[in-house]
Amino acid sequence: MSAIAAAIGLFFSATVASSSVDETRRQLEQDRRQQAGRVGYWTESAGELAKTVIIVNRSLDPVTNVELWFYAPDAGVDPAQHEWIFMAFWTIPPCTRMVFASRAIDDFLRRYKIAQGGAPVRAIQFFDSDGQHWLRDLNGLRAAEYERGVDGEDLGDAPARQEPAEHCDK
């Protein structure tokens, strides 16, 4: 009987230890994603083809090296071919909503001979205050793996109106 009790006790101890390690791992991942999880983007219609792009940083820290990624199909080339165009800027301040008017987006894309509505925004990349590189796209938030190519431009200051963000953790 004591051998069975010892085996049950050993199993129980191993299960508790494993559960504790799993919980610690989940907590570390949640802590690592906390700021990045409060950064998002979406588009709103501004006409038939025009879109307003909105990025929000609801955290108490800035995010830096922000990139808007546009999917830009090549006109007159094999439809299976495509390219990504990025618009990069320095920072999104804490608790800030940035509104990119459709005209600013269209003016930027026109430099690459892309017609209005021809390159929808598909992702944002940024660095959080801990230096972690993140990507948010239609599939959610994850560590960034992509390095930007040559198609795009660093603008310095974003061509966007800044407003206070709602639901900020102030």
Side-chain angles (χ1 to χ4, degrees), residues 10-20:
L10 183 61
F11 173 77
F12 181 70
S13 295
T15 302
V16 169
S18 175
S19 176
S20 178

Side-chain angles (χ1 to χ4, degrees), residues 101-128:
S102 60
R103 182 173 181 178
I105 299 296
D106 293 340
D107 288 349
F108 172 77
L109 293 173
R110 210 171 291 121
R111 297 176 198 166
Y112 298 92
K113 298 181 177 33
I114 298 170
Q116 182 181 34
V121 64
R122 291 286 193 235
I124 60 172
Q125 284 194 156
F126 58 92
F127 284 88
D128 67 15

Side-chain angles (χ1 to χ4, degrees), residues 20-162:
S20 178
V21 167
D22 289 345
E23 182 59 31
T24 301
R25 188 176 298 128
R26 279 191 295 274
Q27 184 63 45
L28 287 171
E29 179 63 15
Q30 183 179 352
D31 291 348
R32 189 174 75 90
R33 296 171 64 94
Q34 186 172 5
Q35 181 188 12
R38 299 196 57 81
V39 177
Y41 80 97
W42 65 92
T43 61
E44 295 177 355
S45 179
E48 188 174 321
L49 295 174
K51 297 284 184 192
T52 298
V53 176
I54 298 152
I55 303 176
V56 66
N57 175 11
R58 291 188 176 104
S59 77
L60 296 176
D61 293 304
V63 293
T64 57
N65 298 321
V66 182
E67 300 168 356
L68 278 170
W69 286 72
F70 298 88
Y71 176 69
D74 287 333
V77 181
D78 178 357
Q81 301 268 337
H82 67 271
E83 61 184 311
W84 290 87
I85 304 293
F86 70 88
M87 175 194 289
F89 51 95
W90 291 327
T91 189
I92 303 176
C95 301
T96 300
R97 171 181 153 123
M98 299 185 83
V99 180
F100 294 79
S102 60
R103 182 173 181 178
I105 299 296
D106 293 340
D107 288 349
F108 172 77
L109 293 173
R110 210 171 291 121
R111 297 176 198 166
Y112 298 92
K113 298 181 177 33
I114 298 170
Q116 182 181 34
V121 64
R122 291 286 193 235
I124 60 172
Q125 284 194 156
F126 58 92
F127 284 88
D128 67 15
S129 60
D130 290 329
Q132 296 290 317
H133 196 195
W134 296 96
L135 170 78
R136 181 176 294 279
D137 62 11
L138 301 174
N139 297 317
L141 177 68
R142 63 184 175 280
E145 336 174 320
Y146 306 112
E147 293 294 325
R148 62 179 159 181
V150 296
D151 295 322
E153 187 174 349
D154 284 303
L155 301 178
D157 292 325
R161 183 177 74 245
Q162 293 187 20

